[in-house]
Amino acid sequence: MIRPADIREWRNHDVVDPKGHRIGMLEAIYVDTTTDEPAVATVRTGLPSRRRLVFVPLDEAVLGPDYVKVSHPRGEVRKAPSIGTDDVLPAEREEEIFQHYGMTYRPGANGERQLARR
């Protein structure tokens, strides 16, 4: 698992799936707002003229030399909800990410966001 102190040093490293297939480059980390632990990463994918940021959970992520290995296959990640490279994740789209990966979405008691970009 990526620890908060490690986040900055892993930005722009390759993200690979369990079989070692390259998915893209790690762009940013979103932490769970209740625990402040890394929860989801954005991965820069696509051709230079069509770049986008896809979301992938960091559950069971493994750090290696110059890469982050996630527990989800490349095909599943590439079909995940995405945003433009200059966009911000709207609060109303957070739940889509969790649904895509079959995870439980738990916003705060007063509707606060579950994810915050670090």
Side-chain angles (χ1 to χ4, degrees), residues 42-61:
T42 52
V43 181
R44 192 176 14 184
T45 65
L47 301 171
S49 62
R50 294 183 178 196
R51 295 235 187 259
R52 64 192 179 108
L53 301 176
V54 294
F55 292 86
V56 62
L58 293 173
D59 57 325
E60 302 176 34

Side-chain angles (χ1 to χ4, degrees), residues 30 40 42 53 55 81-84 86-98 105 113-117:
Y30 285 75
V40 176
T42 52
L53 301 176
F55 292 86
S82 65
I83 58 175
D86 294 328
D87 295 339
V88 176
L89 176 64
E92 59 274 3
R93 293 204 50 214
E94 276 188 5
E95 190 170 2
E96 285 179 50
I97 298 164
F98 289 82
Y105 180 64
R113 298 181 75 148
Q114 183 173 346
L115 300 173
R117 185 175 172 162

Side-chain angles (χ1 to χ4, degrees), residues 12-112:
N12 292 322
H13 282 68
D14 285 337
V15 175
V16 298
D17 73 2
K19 293 184 177 180
H21 297 120
R22 185 177 183 277
I23 298 169
M25 299 285 275
L26 187 101
E27 175 71 22
I29 301 289
Y30 285 75
V31 297
D32 185 313
T33 56
T34 58
T35 64
D36 203 36
E37 290 292 320
V40 176
T42 52
V43 181
R44 192 176 14 184
T45 65
L47 301 171
S49 62
R50 294 183 178 196
R51 295 235 187 259
R52 64 192 179 108
L53 301 176
V54 294
F55 292 86
V56 62
L58 293 173
D59 57 325
E60 302 176 34
V62 176
L63 299 176
D66 299 325
Y67 69 85
V68 177
K69 184 184 288 186
V70 295
S71 62
H72 299 275
R74 177 173 57 183
E76 181 182 15
V77 175
R78 289 196 172 163
K79 293 177 185 172
S82 65
I83 58 175
T85 56
D86 294 328
D87 295 339
V88 176
L89 176 64
E92 59 274 3
R93 293 204 50 214
E94 276 188 5
E95 190 170 2
E96 285 179 50
I97 298 164
F98 289 82
Q99 288 177 345
H100 178 78
Y101 291 103
M103 299 165 42
T104 303
Y105 180 64
R106 292 181 293 264
N110 297 317
E112 295 92 356

